[in-house]
């Protein structure tokens, strides 16, 4: 069978025409004047036309990205930049602004027990009545207790407080899934008291602590008396903002943490009194699941 030979030779004229075509595209784009202002000459743009064409294509995609969710959707986290190194135009990359903000956001977390899709949760998107109640609690220096059905937006509301304008300057956040993190603390309490103290102090001193799914954790006297009561006491003394999300009202939490052993009633009263000293009223998010 006779072999077929394909001729892919491209003449210098073809390359020159293609360069002129790309240069004309750049010349007529909104970015041409920007490039000139940044110190690139027309000759440099023409001689490096493929790099500048890539730069413009990258700019077109980058300007569509407004949030970290957009970064994920476009699978794009950096933007192309061009720099002059002597007579050579070099490609470089730097983080897109939403991605940069996201990295700064992540640096604040001691623990982050909520999914990435909630990273862009905004306080303005919270239901009006819930948003008003949260604002009132913060203004009156009270803790926030959000309860309602599973998937009713409790966690979203708690995350949105982080993104609230006034709280952008906080340095540390501990957003804890109670069943998971309280089990860890109990294990450390009995098996590694040094590390327990380190983790416990980080939760005590966090600027913003969220106890997510509060009441669903495994409960015993050690958790209540040696972890929760000291945690609440210290956060009250240091006046640190704390938020709870739960399936349960505070009256139900009282029942859940009441045990039959001698002295338990006194300690559960102390536990509930601590909660009520900073929580004057629960906030019902919704009785219905939203999704």
């Amino acid at each position: 069978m006779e072999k077929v030979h394909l001729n892919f030779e491209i003449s210098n004229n073809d390359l020159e025409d293609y360069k002129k075509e790309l240069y004309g595209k750049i010349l007529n784009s909104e970015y041409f004047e920007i490039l000139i202002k940044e110190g690139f000459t027309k000759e440099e743009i023409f001689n490096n036309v493929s790099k500048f064409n890539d730069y413009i294509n990258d700019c077109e995609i980058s300007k569509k990205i407004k949030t970290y969710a957009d970064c994920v959707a476009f699978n794009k986290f950096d933007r192309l930049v061009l720099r002059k190194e002597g007579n050579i135009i070099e490609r470089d990359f730097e983080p897109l602004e939403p991605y940069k903000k996201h990295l700064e956001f992540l640096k604040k977390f001691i623990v982050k027990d909520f999914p990435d899709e909630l990273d862009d949760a905004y306080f303005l998107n919270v239901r009006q009545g819930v948003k008003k109640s949260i604002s009132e609690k913060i203004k009156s220096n009270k803790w926030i207790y959000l309860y309602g059905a599973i998937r009713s937006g409790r966690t979203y509301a708690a995350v949105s407080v982080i993104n609230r304008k006034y709280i952008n300057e906080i340095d540390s956040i501990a957003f804890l899934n109670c069943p998971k993190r309280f089990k860890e603390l109990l294990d450390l309490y009995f098996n590694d008291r040094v590390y327990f103290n380190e983790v416990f102090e980080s939760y005590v001193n966090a600027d913003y602590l969220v106890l997510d799914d509060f009441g669903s954790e495994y409960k015993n006297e050690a958790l209540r008396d040696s972890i929760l009561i000291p945690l609440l006491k210290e956060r009250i003394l240091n006046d640190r903002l704390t938020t709870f999300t739960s399936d349960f009202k505070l009256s139900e939490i009282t029942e859940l943490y009441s045990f039959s052993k001698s002295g338990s009633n006194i300690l559960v009263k102390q536990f509930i009194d601590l909660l009520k000293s900073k929580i004057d009223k629960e906030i019902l998010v919704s009785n219905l699941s939203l999704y």
Side-chain angles (χ1 to χ4, degrees):
M1 184 175 182
E2 186 179 352
K3 292 183 179 180
V4 178
H5 296 280
L6 300 177
N7 184 1
F8 286 112
E9 291 183 7
I10 300 174
S11 70
N12 288 334
N13 287 337
D14 289 335
L15 289 174
E16 196 67 17
D17 288 344
Y18 182 60
K19 282 179 67 175
K20 287 177 181 178
E21 180 185 337
L22 291 181
Y23 181 72
K25 176 185 171 184
I26 296 168
L27 190 65
N28 293 312
S29 77
E30 62 184 284
Y31 302 100
F32 183 74
E33 291 301 324
I34 296 172
L35 291 169
I36 296 299
K37 286 179 182 178
E38 289 180 353
F40 297 107
T41 66
K42 292 180 180 180
E43 184 180 9
E44 286 172 331
I45 295 171
F46 182 77
N47 290 335
N48 297 271
V49 70
S50 63
K51 291 180 181 178
F52 284 96
N53 183 62
D54 289 344
Y55 168 80
I56 288 174
N57 291 336
D58 188 85
C59 286
E60 286 296 322
I61 298 171
S62 296
K63 72 180 181 181
K64 297 175 183 177
I65 296 174
K66 309 297 184 185
T67 67
Y68 176 68
D70 294 335
C71 291
V72 174
F74 282 90
N75 193 27
K76 183 171 175 56
F77 304 92
D78 304 289
R79 71 181 188 93
L80 174 64
V81 293
L82 299 177
R83 308 187 194 281
K84 278 202 274 192
E85 299 289 339
N87 295 322
I88 300 173
I89 308 297
E90 297 283 3
R91 287 184 171 96
D92 201 355
F93 292 89
E94 61 182 33
L96 287 165
E97 195 59 30
Y99 183 50
K100 195 186 299 183
K101 287 181 179 178
H102 178 69
L103 294 177
E104 291 300 317
F105 177 75
L106 293 181
K107 283 180 186 178
K108 295 185 176 186
F109 282 89
I110 298 164
V111 176
K112 178 182 176 289
D113 285 337
F114 61 85
D116 289 346
E117 54 261 34
L118 292 187
D119 287 356
D120 288 324
Y122 288 107
F123 193 64
L124 289 175
N125 294 337
V126 176
R127 190 162 57 86
Q128 184 60 36
V130 174
K131 184 168 59 179
K132 182 180 177 182
S133 295
I134 290 173
S135 296
E136 288 172 353
K137 303 302 178 195
I138 293 172
K139 189 175 180 180
S140 59
N141 197 29
K142 292 291 186 179
W143 287 353
I144 301 161
Y145 193 97
L146 304 164
Y147 84 98
I150 297 172
R151 295 181 174 177
S152 61
R154 301 173 318 198
T155 301
Y156 184 99
V159 177
S160 77
V161 175
I162 299 168
N163 290 320
R164 187 184 159 100
K165 186 175 180 180
Y166 99 99
I167 210 167
N168 284 341
E169 301 305 316
I170 62 175
D171 294 322
S172 58
I173 304 162
F175 200 106
L176 313 183
N177 172 266
C178 289
K180 177 181 179 180
R181 299 301 172 180
F182 286 165
K183 181 181 184 302
E184 288 178 359
L185 282 172
L186 276 171
D187 289 344
L188 289 172
Y189 181 79
F190 290 109
N191 300 308
D192 189 343
R193 194 62 67 88
V194 172
Y195 189 44
F196 166 81
N197 289 334
E198 182 181 327
V199 174
F200 181 77
E201 286 301 311
S202 73
Y203 298 163
V204 165
N205 294 319
D207 293 330
Y208 182 45
L209 173 68
V210 178
L211 300 178
D212 194 35
D213 205 12
F214 182 61
S216 298
E217 64 279 354
Y218 171 75
K219 305 162 193 69
N220 59 20
E221 290 86 351
L223 175 61
R224 184 192 64 198
D225 304 342
S226 300
I227 295 176
L228 279 172
I229 289 177
L231 177 66
L232 298 176
K233 275 185 176 179
E234 288 297 319
R235 291 195 65 80
I236 290 170
L237 286 172
N238 292 297
D239 198 24
R240 299 194 186 279
L241 180 61
T242 306
T243 291
F244 302 78
T245 79
S246 184
D247 298 345
F248 308 102
K249 296 180 180 180
L250 282 177
S251 59
E252 294 170 324
I253 293 292
T254 302
E255 293 180 30
L256 291 169
Y257 272 97
S258 296
F259 306 110
S260 59
K261 290 186 179 180
S262 176
S264 179
N265 289 339
I266 295 172
L267 289 167
V268 77
K269 183 178 184 303
Q270 181 186 18
F271 172 54
I272 295 302
D273 285 347
L274 286 168
L275 286 171
K276 289 185 175 179
S277 71
K278 293 293 287 183
I279 302 169
D280 55 4
K281 188 178 180 181
E282 302 105 322
I283 300 171
L284 175 62
V285 177
S286 177
N287 285 321
L288 301 173
S289 295
L290 301 178
Y291 58 96

